[in-house]
Amino acid sequence: MFLRATTRKKDGKEHRYFSVVENRRVRGGRVLQRHVLYLGEINSSQELAWRKSIEVWDEGTRYPRTLALFPEDRCEGFAPDESIVRLKLAELRLERPRQWGACWLALELWQQLGLGEFWGERLTVSRKGTRWDQVLLVLVAYRLLSPGSEWRLHRQWFAQSALADLLGGDAGLADIHTLYACHDRLLAHQQALFDHLVGRWRDLFHARFDVLLYDLTSTYFESEPRRDEDDKRRFGYSRDHRPDCVQVVIALVVTPEGLPLAYEVLPGNTADSTTLQAFLARIEHQYGQARRVWCMDRGVPTEAVLAQMRASDPPVQYLVGTPKGRLTRLEQALLTQPWHAVRPGVKVKLLPEDDELYVFAESTDRIAKERAMRRRQLKWLWARLQKLASMTLTRDALLMKLGSAKTQAPAAWRLIDVQVHAQGAQFTYHLDRHALRQARRREGRYLLRTNLTESDPGKLWNYYLQLVAVEEAFKTLKGDLAVRPIFHQEERRIEAHIFIAFLAYCLHVTLGQQLKAFAPGLTARSVLEKFSAVQMIDVYVPTTDGRELSLTRYTQPEPELKVLLEKLNLTLPAQPPPKITAAQVTASQPL
């Protein structure tokens, strides 16, 4: 990097502007230059009648002063004047680069959701001066931008970010004991946060709550549970394919746009079908008994809960998936029903039965996808069985290898009949053609059930497709926000960890919703990465009188990012004011 001076003449006067420029060597020995940091104008005029003055914070006197800055080679003939500072530009230093852009964007999203005011009223300043609302913002921004453990936040990430500059704080915001203590103050405000978000979703995105999506997931731990019957860490069905780890279950309610409304942390051995009833009561209490549609996957509602939903006054409307086993019972009745085209490649059949309507859907794209997956698994398993049949193994080794093959290709295993001989290490296998024909008939086909009176099959199918929003929420929580694994040992901090991830997801989905209107081709994660390229750097320039001028500056955004800022209606803040202080003199110590 080097310092570049650009001279321009305006109104008969000479102006010099200084910038930090970076050289990049490319193919063919060519060098490209990139504008990194704009330092602004420094006086170069010899006319005492004209000086460009700026406000500089004098750390020696603790108040701002108006000073005129001149490079040392342009000050000949000036009388000594305390308001003139001569800079040694040849000795300019750049120090402590840190990530600024994405941190600033996280703070903007925090304010857009009104969370600054919300938490400022609830997490008041401690007697020692700890700003708990700012500590929470640090935790949420960390979870959004570079998720990891609290220890990594304390030891590494906070110092590499510009959050201290943006919040006017210091390293105390990331003290490890302060971070953990903040976790203990959050859960009491969980319901108040849910109520607050409802208003913000309405104001920002005109959200409606007549269709709600409900689903569950699990997240596992790298810690052992305490011997406490009330501890929620339990072994159970793991959606993360980690049955060796204890886990908790997270139940989540979102709108079709993915806007989160509420969640609950349940014991890790909770059955999906036992969770819905309590959530129905909670949402009814929060939003009233309006007519709304609940969309859920199969396995969540029980027959008893569905019957209760139909018997409610007014009835609670639902659209849920059904196990494929029910398709066998209704297969003959569905054969007589006509197909209805929903969109290219998708058609459905409607079958009224009792007080419900069954929706049988077939997707051409899904058939091709599931068929390719089945063929790939079946091809691998068949080759594996052929190889095992040619190997000389003990009976125990054979059984272990067969069990491993079944684990790796469970869907294909159901299509092959494998018989191990009663004696010795021999087995036979053949393709179960009846099971294969049945699997082919069901590939890419789904059976839904609903108590809606809606007669448009396309609308019913689109309702069910909206379940993708809650699946995307879980994908974001587990992927971009890295809610798993959890390393906390205390249960209240485990739930607070999930609470912080929920807040980070609120910022993530807010950015995503704004992008849908202005830049639908971009994801929230890609935009955060673009903003992360904007760094903050400390620029130090010694003066001829032994002092040092420091300018804290964020780097210039790339043209693509400038367009994005304009589309999102965001304006970068002004650069922080310069500071002047006595130069830091350090005595060299003998080794």
Side-chain angles (χ1 to χ4, degrees):
M1 292 186 183
F2 63 93
L3 189 67
R4 169 181 287 171
T6 303
T7 303
R8 296 179 182 174
K9 286 189 176 181
K10 183 179 179 181
D11 299 330
K13 298 177 181 178
E14 188 179 81
H15 302 258
R16 282 214 299 175
Y17 302 88
F18 288 84
S19 302
V20 176
V21 179
E22 178 186 37
N23 278 342
R24 290 181 174 180
R25 189 167 296 279
V26 297
R27 290 181 180 178
R30 295 185 301 114
V31 175
L32 297 181
Q33 295 183 344
R34 185 174 73 93
H35 183 89
V36 176
L37 209 62
Y38 176 70
L39 301 181
E41 181 181 359
I42 298 178
N43 292 332
S44 60
S45 174
Q46 298 289 332
E47 300 178 13
L48 291 177
W50 176 81
R51 295 174 183 171
K52 178 177 175 58
S53 301
I54 61 173
E55 284 286 316
V56 178
W57 185 264
D58 190 340
E59 293 192 348
T61 58
R62 297 295 179 183
Y63 62 86
R65 298 177 60 189
T66 302
L67 300 177
L69 305 181
F70 285 84
E72 60 177 337
D73 62 344
R74 295 296 182 99
C75 298
E76 296 85 354
F78 281 8
D81 189 338
E82 290 185 356
S83 66
I84 297 177
V85 176
R86 299 169 174 83
L87 304 178
K88 298 181 178 181
L89 293 178
E91 299 179 20
L92 176 144
R93 305 191 319 275
L94 304 178
E95 295 183 2
R96 211 163 71 86
R98 51 203 183 273
Q99 201 276 86
W100 181 86
C103 294
W104 174 79
L105 180 58
L107 183 57
E108 283 292 304
L109 296 171
W110 184 265
Q111 298 300 337
Q112 287 177 18
L113 286 180
L115 295 176
E117 181 179 354
F118 176 86
W119 289 110
E121 296 174 353
R122 290 164 176 80
L123 299 180
T124 55
V125 182
S126 71
R127 289 181 297 176
K128 295 182 179 180
T130 302
R131 288 286 305 272
W132 294 111
D133 57 333
Q134 291 188 352
V135 176
L136 175 58
L137 174 56
V138 170
L139 285 163
V140 174
Y142 174 60
R143 182 61 45 187
L144 176 68
L145 305 178
S146 181
S149 67
E150 281 74 13
W151 184 248
R152 174 173 168 266
L153 167 61
H154 162 68
R155 288 294 300 272
Q156 177 185 353
W157 187 81
F158 186 78
Q160 297 175 351
S161 76
L163 280 174
D165 304 87
L166 290 166
L167 298 176
D170 53 27
L173 291 174
D175 175 73
I176 189 63
H177 301 292
T178 302
L179 296 175
Y180 285 135
C182 184
H183 283 67
D184 301 334
R185 291 167 164 78
L186 303 180
L187 295 180
H189 311 291
Q190 187 175 11
Q191 187 57 49
L193 174 68
F194 297 159
D195 296 337
H196 172 79
L197 288 174
V198 171
R200 295 310 298 152
W201 300 143
R202 283 196 181 106
D203 295 342
L204 290 174
F205 309 118
H206 308 290
R208 300 175 59 188
F209 311 108
D210 50 357
V211 177
L212 297 181
L213 315 178
Y214 177 80
D215 206 352
L216 301 99
T217 191
S218 58
T219 183
Y220 63 91
F221 296 80
E222 296 291 354
S223 62
E224 290 297 325
R226 294 182 177 179
R227 298 180 180 275
D228 183 355
E229 293 183 358
D230 296 329
D231 198 304
K232 293 182 179 180
R233 285 169 288 184
R234 291 284 185 268
F235 290 101
Y237 169 67
S238 175
R239 297 161 178 83
D240 302 316
H241 308 291
R242 289 297 304 270
D244 59 312
C245 294
V246 291
Q247 64 178 19
V248 293
V249 171
I250 303 174
L252 179 66
V253 176
V254 302
T255 69
E257 297 78 23
L259 303 174
L261 298 182
Y263 79 94
E264 187 172 359
V265 179
L266 305 167
N269 58 355
T270 302
D272 292 359
S273 58
T274 63
T275 64
L276 179 60
Q277 198 163 5
F279 248 110
L280 290 174
R282 172 183 295 185
I283 296 300
E284 182 178 300
H285 174 74
Q286 187 171 1
Y287 303 103
Q289 292 185 341
R291 296 180 65 87
R292 64 177 53 90
V293 181
W294 284 85
C295 296
M296 298 163 283
D297 211 344
R298 62 178 182 267
V300 174
T302 62
E303 290 293 334
V305 172
L306 291 178
Q308 181 181 347
M309 294 171 76
R310 292 192 297 270
S312 300
D313 186 20
V316 179
Q317 297 177 323
Y318 59 83
L319 177 67
V320 301
T322 63
K324 288 192 175 181
R326 186 177 291 266
L327 182 57
T328 304
R329 180 171 64 86
L330 300 174
E331 199 166 18
Q332 293 300 319
L334 286 168
L335 288 175
T336 62
Q337 302 299 319
W339 287 106
H340 301 273
V342 174
R343 63 184 186 187
V346 178
K347 54 185 180 179
V348 302
K349 290 184 177 184
L350 302 180
L351 176 64
E353 186 172 285
D354 299 330
D355 297 329
E356 293 182 305
L357 177 68
Y358 285 89
V359 184
F360 180 60
E362 177 182 285
S363 170
T364 304
D365 292 340
R366 191 68 185 181
I367 289 175
K369 179 179 179 179
E370 292 186 6
R371 192 156 291 173
M373 294 168 59
R374 186 255 305 162
R375 286 173 175 168
R376 186 169 59 250
Q377 275 200 22
L378 190 57
K379 182 179 179 180
W380 177 88
L381 180 59
W382 194 264
R384 181 59 177 165
L385 292 176
Q386 284 182 326
K387 187 174 181 179
L388 291 178
S390 64
M391 297 171 64
T392 302
L393 301 168
T394 64
R395 181 179 177 83
D396 289 344
L398 174 64
L399 293 175
M400 290 180 63
K401 291 183 181 296
L402 288 174
S404 176
K406 180 180 179 180
T407 302
Q408 293 185 53
W413 185 272
R414 292 192 289 269
L415 306 179
I416 298 178
D417 184 15
V418 180
Q419 297 292 333
V420 180
H421 295 178
Q423 301 294 331
Q426 301 294 324
F427 71 98
T428 59
Y429 60 96
H430 67 273
L431 185 64
D432 187 341
R433 298 187 180 278
H434 174 72
L436 178 60
R437 284 193 295 269
Q438 189 177 53
R440 284 177 58 86
R441 287 200 306 268
R442 294 181 178 179
E443 286 170 344
R445 298 172 174 91
Y446 305 92
L447 184 64
L448 316 176
R449 60 191 296 193
T450 179
N451 64 340
L452 286 169
T453 58
E454 178 64 52
S455 59
D456 182 2
K459 192 171 184 178
L460 294 173
W461 173 247
N462 288 329
Y463 274 156
Y464 191 68
L465 287 183
Q466 290 170 345
L467 274 177
V468 174
V470 71
E471 294 173 358
E472 188 66 28
F474 289 143
K475 182 180 178 181
T476 300
L477 284 169
K478 293 183 176 184
D480 288 347
L481 307 181
V483 72
R484 62 180 183 182
I486 299 175
F487 297 95
H488 290 282
Q489 302 293 324
E490 298 185 16
E491 185 175 351
R492 69 179 186 278
R493 290 181 180 171
I494 289 168
E495 296 200 38
H497 169 85
I498 297 172
F499 185 78
I500 291 169
F502 177 82
L503 282 169
Y505 176 69
C506 291
L507 302 187
H508 187 281
V509 77
T510 299
L511 178 58
Q513 284 296 113
Q514 293 173 346
L515 291 172
K516 287 181 180 179
F518 303 110
L522 294 176
T523 64
R525 178 52 53 190
S526 66
V527 169
L528 290 171
E529 290 173 355
K530 291 180 186 298
F531 273 86
S532 296
V534 181
Q535 300 284 302
M536 176 164 274
I537 301 176
D538 293 334
V539 182
Y540 293 95
V541 188
T543 66
T544 56
D545 59 2
R547 291 181 295 174
E548 193 168 57
L549 181 73
S550 63
L551 302 92
T552 300
R553 292 289 183 269
Y554 58 79
T555 58
Q556 297 300 301
E558 298 291 342
E560 182 183 8
L561 185 57
K562 290 181 179 179
V563 174
L564 189 58
L565 285 165
E566 182 181 352
K567 292 294 184 181
L568 294 176
N569 198 25
L570 295 174
T571 303
L572 295 179
Q575 299 278 14
K579 297 179 181 178
I580 192 165
T581 183
Q584 299 293 327
V585 179
T586 57
S588 58
Q589 298 294 331
L591 297 177

